[in-house]
Amino acid sequence: MPQIGLGTWLSQPGEVEQAVEHAIKAGYKHIDGAKIYHNHNEVGAAIKKCIPSVIKREDLWVTSKLWNNAHKPENVQPACEQSLKELGLDYLDLYLIHWPVPFQFVSWEKKDLVPKDEAGKLLLDRETSLVDTWKAMIELKKTGLVKSIGVSNFTKEMLEAIIKATGVVPSVNQIEAHPLLPQDDLVEYCNQNKINITAYSPLGNNLTGQTKIVDYPQVREIAQKTGSDPAQVLIAWGVKRGYSVIPKSVTPSRIESNFKQVVLSDEDYESINQLVKDGKTTRFNVPITYDPSWPINLFDEEVEKEAPLRAIF
Ligand SMILES: NC(=O)c1ccc[n+]([C@@H]2O[C@H](COP(=O)([O-])OP(=O)(O)OC[C@H]3O[C@@H](n4cnc5c(N)ncnc54)[C@H](OP(=O)(O)O)[C@@H]3O)[C@@H](O)[C@H]2O)c1
């Protein structure tokens, strides 16, 4: 999997096609998408424009993700086929279970991707296990529609459960990882079990209103010293840890600079590690805080402690 990829979450209609095309022309060989980003059509249109004049299909890595409403085994292949159709592709290089959280399946329509009851509460599927869905992913791979299969937002316990039940190790676990959330234990487990890590929100995403990681003085200082920009420092931090890293941007100059790799010295790398003080990490992507809220304790973050449900697996 090419190490630097382009993220496409929150890339708006009307801007994502141009962003993906610009990225591929700038040298990106890895595009990260998902059904729930509602922009497969534009991502696919950009890819179509670039194949074969800029890149051959076999040299481009395209990832998409199974959304939570299609976890039932019989829905896994149709969901993948729907995403392939939207993208205009014959196969995906990687297909991930997006979240370890099954929603009820109501229909294939967009409005039912996040099914709610009359009170607006999310409808969870409490019957389908992660093992059921993982077995269907294993079958999906045999069809050739996907070259490799993996998971996203899985904890060590969830990974252990699906591996124990099937003997099949996911190629990838795509997780939130940046200097404020290094996830050392999970990374070590994945390394030991030959599960590649893809780091999402490598810049901290910029959505929460907290100080952006690119604006931390330590990051800015290293950027200044190395003649790079703060985002390049954060991407280099992930690369040095062996991850693939998928920064999102729709800004042409940032798409280009994010792809230009800089190398962090050991000293600068250590200095970035010090951003986590007293073990206090910051996770930006916590589904219990979404609207509608997912009433599940997935990561044991403080805000999840009172959740009525534990993670399902
Ligand atoms: N598996 C999952 O559950 C999951 C969850 C979240 C994300 N992801 C994937 O990971 C990708 C990346 O994560 P993310 O989108 O959450 O956040 P991110 O890549 O950490 O941050 C994106 C934000 O940073 C800005 N930015 C980009 N380059 C910059 C630069 N050089 N300097 C300063 N700011 C810069 C972008 O603005 P502009 O676009 O305006 O330039 C955007 O606001 C997603 O797009 C998605 O593909 C997966």
Side-chain angles (χ1 to χ4, degrees):
M1 178 166 48
Q3 198 158 20
I4 307 288
L6 181 77
T8 60
W9 181 37
L10 300 175
S11 297
Q12 298 303 316
E15 56 183 22
V16 62
E17 182 174 337
Q18 151 266 322
V20 172
E21 186 182 355
H22 193 80
I24 296 174
K25 288 183 173 163
Y28 284 73
K29 292 183 160 66
H30 173 177
I31 307 294
D32 183 78
K35 171 71 188 168
I36 198 65
Y37 301 163
H38 302 302
N39 57 17
H40 269 154
N41 289 340
E42 280 200 37
V43 170
I47 291 173
K48 194 172 178 190
K49 278 195 207 160
C50 295
I51 292 175
S53 57
V54 185
I55 194 164
K56 290 191 217 139
R57 173 66 187 94
E58 58 267 35
D59 293 333
L60 184 68
W61 180 281
V62 183
T63 299
S64 186
K65 310 184 191 93
L66 178 80
W67 184 239
N68 305 354
N69 72 327
H71 273 218
K72 285 204 183 305
E74 66 272 24
N75 287 338
V76 169
Q77 186 170 334
C80 178
E81 285 169 345
Q82 190 188 53
S83 287
L84 282 169
K85 198 168 168 206
E86 290 167 354
L87 286 160
L89 297 175
D90 301 334
Y91 69 90
L92 292 167
D93 297 276
L94 176 64
Y95 198 47
L96 305 174
I97 300 179
H98 200 151
W99 284 93
V101 182
F103 292 176
Q104 285 184 28
F105 176 77
V106 178
S107 84
W108 291 106
E109 287 178 43
K110 184 177 169 184
K111 68 175 176 51
D112 292 323
L113 285 170
V114 183
K116 290 174 244 174
D117 68 11
E118 281 170 7
K121 278 204 180 139
L122 182 67
L123 291 168
L124 293 172
D125 169 359
R126 301 283 292 151
E127 285 166 10
T128 309
S129 72
L130 296 182
V131 171
D132 295 336
T133 308
W134 185 238
K135 283 183 178 164
M137 294 286 279
I138 294 165
E139 290 305 309
L140 179 67
K141 189 174 170 220
K142 294 180 189 160
T143 67
L145 292 173
V146 301
K147 300 263 184 219
S148 53
I149 51 173
V151 298
S152 176
N153 296 299
F154 272 45
T155 61
K156 177 174 172 261
E157 291 70 27
M158 294 168 189
L159 290 165
E160 280 171 344
I162 61 169
I163 295 169
K164 188 167 169 228
T166 63
V168 179
V169 178
S171 296
V172 170
N173 189 16
Q174 184 177 123
I175 56 170
E176 180 176 337
H178 44 68
L180 300 183
L181 190 70
Q183 306 237 47
D184 290 332
D185 292 347
L186 183 54
V187 169
E188 192 186 333
Y189 173 81
C190 288
N191 287 342
Q192 278 168 358
N193 288 278
K194 299 199 168 28
I195 301 168
N196 294 290
I197 299 263
T198 296
Y200 78 65
S201 301
L203 311 178
N205 183 284
N206 296 358
L207 272 182
T208 59
Q210 297 176 45
T211 305
K212 297 174 190 170
I213 315 181
V214 283
D215 289 332
Y216 275 58
Q218 298 94 316
V219 177
R220 298 187 80 84
E221 205 177 288
I222 293 169
Q224 208 170 23
K225 193 176 78 179
T226 54
S228 51
D229 75 25
Q232 287 173 318
V233 171
L234 298 177
I235 294 164
W237 178 87
V239 166
K240 199 167 170 90
R241 288 166 69 84
Y243 310 151
S244 65
V245 184
I246 48 171
K248 171 262 177 185
S249 180
V250 293
T251 313
S253 58
R254 288 171 167 179
I255 292 172
E256 288 167 33
S257 59
N258 290 347
F259 190 66
K260 285 190 191 126
Q261 292 193 40
V262 299
V263 179
L264 273 193
S265 68
D266 292 345
E267 183 198 349
D268 290 342
Y269 173 73
E270 273 312 317
S271 155
I272 299 285
N273 286 340
Q274 302 308 315
L275 294 186
V276 171
K277 296 253 179 325
D278 306 321
K280 216 175 161 308
T281 54
T282 306
R283 186 187 296 271
F284 294 106
N285 221 321
V286 189
I288 202 165
T289 64
Y290 292 176
D291 182 18
S293 171
W294 307 7
I296 295 181
N297 181 346
L298 278 178
F299 305 119
D300 218 23
E301 294 289 335
E302 207 48 48
V303 67
E304 297 179 299
K305 300 257 191 226
E306 301 298 317
L309 301 174
R310 300 286 308 170
I312 313 159
F313 58 93

